[in-house]
């Protein structure tokens, strides 16, 4: 049943202030003008700005964009590492009413081409290191204009014809620009989210969503102008989880690391220490690498006020404990591209009176919704699951920074339910809820295996199999079974040195330590597991290939 | 020049989630259901609820309101002390789409009658202690229905006819209610602000304004579910500065003190200590009294985590230091009824590298705007003042929780400037801005005295005069002067014991320690100073009486 909607009286008495992204930077430039923004150049040195000088550069950029012919609602593609130029692009492009398409340069040329065509990109901005990527896409798209973001004096060589030099454009543009007021429901940024199947889907964020999200992030991590952010999450990844915006809102110092790699983390550690960083972020993989690096140091640094928001997937307990030894506090957040991204935060309720161990266990969960995000966890027939920490349901979400459609994409129909003012996004995540309201992601819904009326988490089983010393890769999928509905199949790639020295029985015995007998899978040894373009196991291919596995066997038997 | 307004493309892709006040309570009931809400009864004991039980009571209240005939857009008047019932009224009344008129029961019966008639109140809720006040207003207004909020079993006696008992209404109503979705621009609360002249002006808050303000308050004071609020600011005073809403949003514990008085602060101190309060609020007068009480105790308590937001007027440095000795940290905020109320916050920028003394001096200033509040400080000809800590201008404000008109009131025309999407509220406050962007309120603009092209702060001069041991009361107004534009007149009431033992010269000498010679006022001894209904010096009357003072003298001379 759709909710009753009331239009109240009188609606004109409060300021009809439009929440615009540019307001964030204007607020910082006006009130925290001298607070520093540092950006690591290609040569490893730091370029130093502040909110006032960056705002002036953004006004120059706005004029430059107009001189390039960019108009409100036009799409501008950006491919770049985390630098001050990417930060400026956020504000310059959205400030004139255009839409910035944040392109993940790690996608395949096919995917990037699809994004460029689907979003109708005319002008593209790219870091000089990414020229080869842009050239490949340009072969198929033929961009109107390309702006190279570079530290160099001269425009780097490229075979693309209409090329502009970012710094030259700024130098030749006026530092005066009067930003328009933009209807807050207008789009400002687009991120394309790549699932395991099909081409990426377009998530278009509104000004209102970005500003409200910026205001909400401090529910998760209280920050103010005295904090210093090291932005490690890629800025094309759901706007770097929105942190550059929240940091701007409160006038915090910001440090952009430029291009960095897990193989050489020294520059990152140096920034953490030398810039007195108090806030950072990233996926577990990155922070596991940082932890390993810190542990390898002879003189182990001790941070006294560094908080790290970890998301993307669950931070292992060992990581939380390990970082704490260096004085780094982990905050566990959860979200999706479709939710701008923050939707849940693991706030610890200290008044529950749990033991230290129980609290740590709790910390690995995705947590409770940030206000005013609403969530439901429902069974396939739409009923709320009990808060028993074991019944699995799909997580549905809605709120002012949750999308209600994919841009110009028929896949919208399968991903949303509801009507009118109450539309829910179906996250596709299978979760449980504990007695305190904390959710825990068990699996992707489509990867969950339903056997004999009970659920089996494919992710759990894979992780446990890959922890076996002889196993290199493992993936588990559910395939139809005439009696049990579905049964798990485990595909195992054995480490070369154990090739002829492993049995199904020993793997099943290993699994028995953790899983009940009825959950144990059928084991299939294989030389390789099919993968998607982003390197994930392609379970869809396996499910299709093996869909008759048990049915055929039954017939033979 | 009006700003360009752009309607962007495409505006439908994010959830059109309406920010409704009831969302705050629903969020807390869902995610922090067990967190306590305590309310001090008339007998001094505490009644204990939690967000879940309060939400159930609010749903009963919503049904009760409908059974009383209250419909969307109807106005419901509420007169009450800080209790859980006032808190429930916030959500119940706004939740069904009606408008709660928060009535300051300390106003005169004439003013309350004006408010009741102007806002067209039909149903009124009142605490039992306030029945006499309601009776006086009812004589002139004749309310449809009156609901008595009381701890007693039976309805207290009153000569009003249609009387309902709050708890009976709840008991007899269903605990199920499906709240409608309300257009976020609809009004939910009204506060009438009484200036020194004329009848109070109606400030009508929208759902959107209240929710955005709730989200912004944590920029000033970071709170989460582990905090405990003691709500001391009257809840009718711009929604208790919005704190009950912010506390609800994050699921903090809340304690409502009921009726209390400055003459007996023991119950307040007991709550601060016994309930492990971490957050409170109030005007300087209250916290000066609390500080005096704490200082008088033999066993002086030491708080280890108590922050107090002080506003309304500037907290004296001695108070900030005094409270710190008890472990209480003062946060200085600034706002107005017209700004919901928080507009500025004194965030300390620790990176400025000032001395401890300079930082304390800074703390007495009103600070910098909370995002996304915008402010201008302008001279009479509309130019921005320099940030020199001495040029005085009027503070103008705008933002999503700033009004752009007074409800149904011609005084709107003199209080706002601008057009379209950019309307500024003229605060009437004369302020300076320092080099760090912190404003300091110097005076009310109309009380500021302009003499020979320079400004004199009447407030400064009054405070300095009243610090003289022989002075009981002092007020300073500017009156026209043929040569100097205006000159200050100081009206002095001498303490009875010094009646015949004081000279103008010694007061001028006292003033000379602080003020330049050209600023010194003409002194006039008087037996009493005219006052307004709320007890403030009525400068308007004095200015009118003495408007020819210098002009006549000039003619005689």
């Amino acid at each position: 049943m759709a909710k009753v909607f009331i239009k109240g009286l009188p609606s004109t008495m409060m300021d009809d202030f439009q929440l615009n992204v540019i307001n964030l930077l204007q607020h910082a430039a006006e009130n925290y003008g001298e607070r520093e923004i540092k950006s690591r150049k290609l040569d490893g040195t730091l370029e130093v700005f502040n909110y006032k000088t960056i705002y002036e550069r953004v006004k120059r950029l706005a004029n430059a964009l107009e001189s390039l012919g960019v108009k409100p609602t036009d799409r501008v593609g950006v491919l770049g590492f985390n630098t001050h130029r990417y930060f400026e692009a956020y504000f310059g492009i959205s400030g004139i009413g255009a839409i910035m398409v944040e392109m993940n340069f790690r996608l395949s040329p096919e995917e990037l081409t699809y994004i460029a065509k689907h979003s109708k990109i005319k002008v593209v901005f790219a870091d000089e290191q990414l020229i080869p990527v842009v050239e490949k896409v340009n072969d198929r798209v033929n961009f109107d204009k390309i702006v190279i973001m570079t530290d160099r004096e001269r425009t780097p060589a490229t075979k693309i014809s209409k090329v502009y030099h970012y710094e030259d454009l700024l130098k030749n543009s006026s530092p005066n620009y009067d930003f328009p007021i933009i209807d807050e429901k207008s789009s400002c940024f687009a991120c394309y989210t790549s699932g395991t199947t099909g081409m990426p889907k377009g998530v278009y964020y509104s000004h209102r969503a970005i500003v409200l999200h910026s205001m909400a992030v401090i529910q998760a991590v209280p920050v103010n102008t005295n904090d210093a952010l090291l932005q490690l999450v890629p800025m094309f990844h759901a706007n770097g989880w929105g942190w550059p915006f929240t940091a701007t809102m409160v006038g915090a110092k910001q440090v952009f690391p430029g291009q960095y790699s897990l193989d050489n983390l020294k520059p990152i550690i140096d920034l953490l220490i030398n810039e007195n960083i108090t806030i950072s972020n990233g996926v577990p993989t990155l922070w596991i690498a940082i932890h390993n690096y810190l542990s390898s140091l002879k003189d182990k640094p001790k941070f006294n006020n560094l908080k790290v928001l970890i998301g993307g997937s669950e931070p292992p307990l060992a990581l939380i404990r390990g970082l704490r030894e260096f004085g780094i506090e982990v905050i566990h957040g959860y979200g999706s591209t479709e939710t701008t991204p923050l939707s849940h935060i693991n706030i610890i309720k200290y008044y529950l009176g749990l033991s230290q161990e129980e609290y740590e266990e709790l910390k690995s969960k995705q947590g409770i919704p940030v206000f005013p995000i609403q969530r439901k966890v429902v069974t396939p027939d739409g009923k709320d699951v009990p808060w028993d920490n074991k019944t699995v349901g799909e997580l549905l979400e809605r709120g002012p920074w949750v999308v209600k459609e994919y841009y110009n994409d028929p896949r919208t129909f399968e991903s949303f339910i509801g009507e009118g003012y109450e539309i829910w996004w179906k996250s596709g995540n299978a979760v449980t809820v504990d007695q305190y309201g904390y959710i825990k992601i068990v699996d992707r819904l489509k990867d969950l295996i339903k056997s004999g009326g009970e659920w089996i988490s494919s992710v759990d089983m894979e992780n446990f199999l890959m922890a076996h010393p002889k196993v290199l890769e493992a993936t588990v999928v559910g395939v139809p079974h005439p009696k049990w509905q579905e049964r798990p199949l485990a595909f195992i790639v054995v480490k070369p040195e154990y090739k002829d020295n492993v049995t199904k029985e020993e793997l099943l015995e290993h699994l028995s330590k953790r899983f009940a007998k009825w959950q144990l899978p059928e084991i299939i040894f294989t030389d390789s597991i099919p993968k998607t373009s982003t390197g994930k196991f392609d379970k869809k291919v396996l499910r299709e290939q093996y869909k008759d596995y048990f049915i055929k066997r039954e017939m033979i038997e």
Side-chain angles (χ1 to χ4, degrees), chain A:
Chain A
M1 196 189 69
K3 284 265 194 183
V4 178
F5 180 75
I6 290 179
K7 251 194 153 5
L9 164 144
S11 64
T12 57
M13 282 167 304
M14 302 301 295
D15 189 337
D16 206 6
F17 189 97
Q18 299 297 295
L19 304 170
N20 283 187
V21 170
I22 193 72
N23 296 151
L24 296 159
L25 183 60
Q26 286 170 329
H27 185 80
E30 173 86 5
N31 301 296
Y32 307 99
E34 314 297 329
R35 193 67 169 138
E36 286 175 325
I37 294 180
K38 297 187 180 183
S39 190
R40 197 168 138 267
K41 298 202 286 185
L42 269 182
D43 66 8
T45 62
L46 287 175
E47 205 166 351
V48 181
F49 305 89
N50 63 32
Y51 282 107
K52 227 176 227 166
T53 56
I54 288 280
Y55 182 45
E56 195 201 288
R57 284 169 58 88
V58 166
K59 286 186 281 188
R60 288 177 185 273
L61 176 58
N63 283 312
L65 284 161
E66 289 195 348
S67 75
L68 291 173
V70 178
K71 293 189 172 44
T73 77
D74 280 354
R75 269 68 115 198
V76 178
V78 181
L79 296 93
F81 294 95
N82 290 7
T83 67
H84 65 291
R85 295 190 187 94
Y86 205 103
F87 183 72
E88 291 161 0
Y90 281 146
F91 295 103
I93 296 169
S94 68
I96 68 166
I99 300 167
M100 171 167 165
V101 182
E102 304 173 14
M103 299 173 87
N104 177 355
F105 48 77
R106 297 206 183 92
L107 295 179
S108 67
E110 288 72 28
E111 288 169 310
L112 288 171
T113 301
Y114 173 84
I115 292 170
K117 286 185 174 168
H118 185 268
S119 64
K120 303 194 185 74
I121 287 173
K122 288 189 205 163
V123 177
V124 71
F125 283 59
D127 277 353
E128 59 172 299
Q129 308 99 293
L130 298 169
I131 292 174
V133 178
V134 180
E135 282 174 341
K136 269 185 207 149
V137 180
N138 190 60
D139 288 347
R140 314 180 199 197
V141 177
N142 213 348
F143 294 120
D144 273 5
K145 282 152 190 157
I146 291 167
V147 179
I148 309 287
M149 301 190 285
T150 175
D151 298 332
R152 299 183 205 219
E153 291 283 314
R154 278 189 286 180
T155 312
T158 162
K159 51 184 186 182
I160 302 170
S161 51
K162 285 193 199 156
V163 176
Y164 298 81
H165 184 282
Y166 185 93
E167 294 299 330
D168 280 353
L169 280 177
L170 261 55
K171 212 179 297 164
N172 299 326
S173 299
S174 159
N176 299 313
Y177 188 89
D178 195 21
F179 286 97
I181 292 173
I182 301 168
D183 177 352
E184 68 182 26
K185 291 184 181 172
S186 308
S187 296
C188 51
F189 306 128
C191 286
Y192 279 73
T193 167
S194 48
T196 43
T197 60
M199 279 295 166
K201 292 175 278 190
V203 171
Y204 280 57
Y205 302 109
S206 66
H207 283 271
R208 171 181 163 101
I210 296 294
V211 173
L212 289 177
H213 182 272
S214 306
M215 291 177 70
V217 164
I218 53 176
Q219 290 173 39
V221 190
V223 284
N224 67 33
T225 184
N226 298 302
D227 282 293
L229 167 69
L230 177 62
Q231 178 62 33
L232 294 180
V233 171
M235 289 163 80
F236 60 76
H237 189 189
N239 318 302
W241 298 355
W243 274 94
F245 298 122
T246 294
T248 302
M249 178 182 85
V250 301
K253 170 173 154 180
Q254 300 196 47
V255 180
F256 299 111
Q259 188 173 1
Y260 68 91
S261 108
L262 291 194
D263 303 330
N264 175 22
L265 286 168
K266 185 173 184 315
I268 297 300
I269 306 299
D270 287 349
L271 290 176
L272 283 174
I273 296 170
N274 300 336
E275 297 300 327
N276 297 309
I277 298 301
T278 62
I279 295 288
S280 194
N281 48 32
V283 292
T285 324
L286 169 62
W287 283 93
I288 287 169
I290 291 177
H291 177 255
N292 290 343
Y293 187 95
L294 290 172
S295 304
S296 76
L297 292 176
K298 236 185 174 164
D299 285 335
K300 291 189 180 33
K302 181 84 182 175
F303 300 92
N304 61 24
N305 182 24
L306 174 55
K307 293 192 181 79
V308 179
L309 189 83
I310 293 188
S313 60
E314 184 185 315
L317 215 53
L319 176 64
I320 295 174
R321 287 179 182 150
L323 287 174
R324 189 183 300 135
E325 278 169 28
F326 291 93
I328 302 173
E329 187 195 337
V330 171
I331 298 171
H332 181 197
Y334 164 73
S336 313
T337 302
E338 286 86 344
T339 61
T340 308
L342 189 69
S343 81
H344 282 63
I345 187 72
N346 192 303
I347 293 266
I348 299 297
K349 301 176 179 175
Y350 288 107
Y351 47 84
L352 295 178
L354 306 181
S355 69
Q356 166 83 359
E357 264 186 16
E358 286 168 317
Y359 274 125
E360 284 190 338
E361 185 68 33
L362 207 59
K363 204 156 186 171
S364 72
K365 294 180 175 175
Q366 279 71 25
I368 52 187
V370 168
F371 177 84
I373 294 295
Q374 297 179 353
R375 67 128 196 260
K376 281 204 261 192
V377 181
V378 296
T379 56
D381 54 350
K383 288 211 184 87
D384 291 336
V385 302
W387 288 15
D388 60 5
N389 207 21
K390 67 173 200 252
T391 309
V392 173
E394 182 177 12
L395 176 68
L396 310 186
E397 294 174 286
R398 68 180 290 259
W401 55 85
V402 180
V403 284
K404 66 175 184 184
E405 62 176 90
Y406 294 113
Y407 177 56
N408 202 6
D409 197 317
R411 286 171 292 183
T412 290
F413 297 105
E414 67 211 39
S415 303
F416 298 87
I417 58 167
E419 54 179 331
Y421 276 87
E422 203 170 353
I423 292 174
W424 296 85
W425 173 58
K426 295 161 74 178
S427 73
N429 279 333
V431 307
T432 56
V433 192
D434 70 17
Q435 64 182 117
Y436 313 114
Y438 291 60
I439 59 162
K440 178 159 182 86
I441 297 181
V442 174
D443 209 340
R444 289 292 296 166
L445 199 67
K446 64 178 170 24
D447 296 337
L448 204 63
I449 299 155
K450 185 155 201 182
S451 180
E454 300 277 352
W455 294 105
I456 302 170
S457 163
S458 69
V459 171
D460 272 5
M461 197 173 277
E462 286 163 6
N463 288 342
F464 203 75
L465 278 167
M466 285 191 280
H468 190 280
K470 296 182 181 176
V471 173
L472 182 66
E473 286 180 349
T475 192
V476 178
V477 300
V479 297
H481 188 283
K483 183 169 168 195
W484 300 109
Q485 190 170 1
E486 281 190 337
R487 289 290 301 149
L489 283 185
F491 297 86
I492 308 287
V493 180
V494 179
K495 286 183 186 163
E497 58 268 38
Y498 296 106
K499 191 94 185 164
D500 301 313
N501 184 20
V502 63
T503 63
K504 291 183 180 181
E505 287 66 32
E506 68 180 296
L507 294 181
L508 289 173
E509 202 187 306
H510 169 69
L511 281 174
S512 302
K513 291 176 202 155
R514 167 83 178 256
F515 294 90
K517 205 176 166 208
W518 64 267
Q519 295 180 310
L520 294 183
E522 190 93 6
I523 302 257
I524 296 175
F525 290 113
T526 177
D527 289 339
S528 71
I529 296 172
K531 301 206 179 61
T532 67
S533 64
T534 55
K536 293 178 184 167
F537 295 138
D538 198 338
K539 297 190 177 185
K540 195 175 162 249
V541 169
L542 289 171
R543 264 196 295 264
E544 183 58 30
Q545 276 178 12
Y546 285 81
K547 66 173 189 252
D548 297 331
Y549 183 81
F550 288 109
I551 294 165
K552 274 189 191 152
R553 196 166 61 173
E554 175 103 336
M555 286 164 67
I556 293 164
E557 283 165 0

